[in-house]
Amino acid sequence: MTGTTVDLLVVGGGINGAGIARDAAGRGASVMLVEQDDLASATSSWSTKLIHGGLRYLEHYEFRLVREALIEREVLWGIAPHIIRPLRFVLPHHEGLRPAWLLRLGLFLYDHLGGRKRLWATRTLDLATNAAGKPLKTGYGKAFEYSDCRVDDSRLVVLNARDAADRGAIVRTRTRATAARREGGLWHVTIEDRLRGGTETVTARAVVNAAGPWVESFLTGAAQTTPPARVRLVQGSHIVVRKLYDHDRAYIFQNADNRIIFAIPYERDFTLIGTTDQDYAGDPGAVKASEAEIAYLCAAASEYFRDPVTPADVVWTYSGVRPLYDDGASAAQEATRDYVLHKDGGGAVPPLLSVFGGKITTYRRLAISALADLAADLPALRGKADWTAGAPLPGGDIDIDAPVSAGESLWRSHPFLDPAAAARLAAAYGTRAGRILAGARTMADLGRDFGGGLTEAEIAYLRREEWAVTAEDVLWRRSKLGLHLDAEQRAAVAAHIGG
């Protein structure tokens, strides 16, 4: 790769970096993306798994951000209906916290601010008669129910990277940008292969710093420059417990400390509860849920659910660091989730565009804004229209109104599959599930089944097409099968992969 020149080098394989790489490659620019670990291995795989407008951001008057996010819900649902699905949220009214009139006003704005077209509108529930009231403590008489979407966050990142590669981008995982300097009208970036060893030099007309929690360290380290803004690292932790209720809706609970948490149906057999918000000062790569956070989430959920949630019920935790733009907010939960782009250079000076903040829901709009900022400096981008709103992500070319039928169709064409396994494959890969099953007429043709329907054929596909290297990549990012496999099965996957 030494000697290769690209229009755009993207540093960081989270949702923002992958989204920018995809958009730029689709406009005809030559692109390389480098990620120091696995795709979505940091912030982008540790979210609450939602595509949402951010109802609580209305309290902080972030109307532009909420409107943009509300519009994006249906756009993203349209291009990735296999991994993004509508989800109804139940908000019980709690006397003494936010008054009912304020909730009604906020939900009215939520329904209309973003031009909702396909998602269902808000309605009022009688919790005494509605199934949503059954798992809750007595005393909650009324609730509001509204729409947002759920998403497989890490797969959203991988599919953006996959589409970028399909359009010509070079995607290099386990590759760190260690030095970057301007010379002769180009960036000269040294990249280190962390798997095989060795370094290379790539030249680029522009660099995007989408390193997430490491955005400042890239600037002060590799680029040897002063950060133009500060990142506020905010830790968000989640817990997963066995399924707490039987219906398919999520809950949003108000807490006495003015924060909110979600309880979301997860992976068929579980309930996901989160998130926390607290400032973080350590290594972003070493973050984990603390005992205090686990206790907080259990206590907050137990304020509402009839059956208490205790730390002993927790089967899995995860924690991530959100790299928020530091707007000086006094509390972590009040810090803006909006994004800020800062460009250094331009014209005769090759530009460096750094991404501060952002959220998964608005990643596509962030990419459009980033490329608009770079268009004057990259001839390959000039005059190229936005295109990502109408182009399905890999596997997303299915009927948005009948995503379940994709699983049924896959099962009918491959009747040797267990129906649940066919549904999982269709939900993860959409129309590309056929690539995993190509030529197979029996389960034996797919090789060893490690449990949960995970076969050698699927692992081979993930390694070949989706940059999976380790068992963790397969079990916790490309899928969440780690929740469904026992320790012995997970060890067998690791032994098979060799990592």
Side-chain angles (χ1 to χ4, degrees), residues 42-43 46-47 234-238 284 287-288 318-322:
T43 306
W46 305 129
S47 75
V234 173
Q235 179 176 355
S237 296
H238 298 75
V287 64
K288 64 178 182 178
Y318 66 86
S319 189
V321 175
R322 305 182 191 96

Side-chain angles (χ1 to χ4, degrees), residues 153-177:
D153 51 4
S154 52
R155 288 209 58 75
L156 183 65
V157 177
V158 170
L159 294 183
N160 271 274
R162 180 66 264 166
D163 200 47
D166 289 346
R167 298 175 188 275
I170 302 164
V171 176
R172 297 279 298 272
T173 63
R174 269 79 181 190
T175 301
R176 188 198 308 264

Side-chain angles (χ1 to χ4, degrees), residues 15-16 19-20 22-23 27 50-54 57 63-81 83-86 110-119 147-151 156 160 337-339 358-369 386-391 393 400:
I15 189 59
N16 292 330
I20 291 169
R22 178 197 185 219
D23 196 341
R27 299 189 195 207
L50 299 178
I51 297 294
H52 67 134
Y57 305 152
F63 298 112
R64 188 208 61 77
L65 173 64
V66 174
R67 182 175 186 277
E68 184 174 272
L70 289 172
I71 293 170
E72 284 298 288
R73 287 182 313 182
E74 298 199 13
V75 173
L76 297 181
W77 177 25
I79 65 174
I83 62 166
I84 297 174
R85 305 281 180 87
Y110 208 69
D111 271 350
H112 295 89
L113 193 60
R116 177 186 53 81
K117 297 176 182 177
R118 304 177 67 91
L119 292 170
S147 293
D148 267 321
C149 293
R150 73 174 83 211
V151 65
L156 183 65
N160 271 274
R337 267 56 175 176
D338 209 347
Y339 57 83
K359 60 198 297 283
I360 283 179
T361 306
T362 54
Y363 86 88
R364 197 189 65 85
R365 294 299 312 175
L366 184 153
I368 292 170
S369 297
D386 302 338
W387 63 277
T388 53
L393 285 166
I400 189 173

Side-chain angles (χ1 to χ4, degrees), residues 230-243:
R230 300 290 299 176
V231 167
R232 183 172 188 169
L233 300 182
V234 173
Q235 179 176 355
S237 296
H238 298 75
I239 60 175
V240 175
V241 300
R242 292 288 173 185
K243 187 163 64 172

Side-chain angles (χ1 to χ4, degrees), residues 88-92 120-146 245-251 305-306:
R88 294 290 280 175
F89 288 78
V90 176
L91 172 57
W120 293 342
T122 297
R123 64 171 182 162
T124 302
L125 303 181
D126 179 355
L127 292 177
T129 58
N130 191 280
K134 186 176 180 180
L136 302 179
K137 290 179 177 179
T138 58
Y140 294 107
K142 178 170 62 177
F144 303 100
E145 183 184 273
Y146 68 94
Y245 51 88
D246 293 327
H247 63 77
D248 61 355
R249 287 168 284 179
Y251 291 94
F305 286 120
R306 187 186 307 271

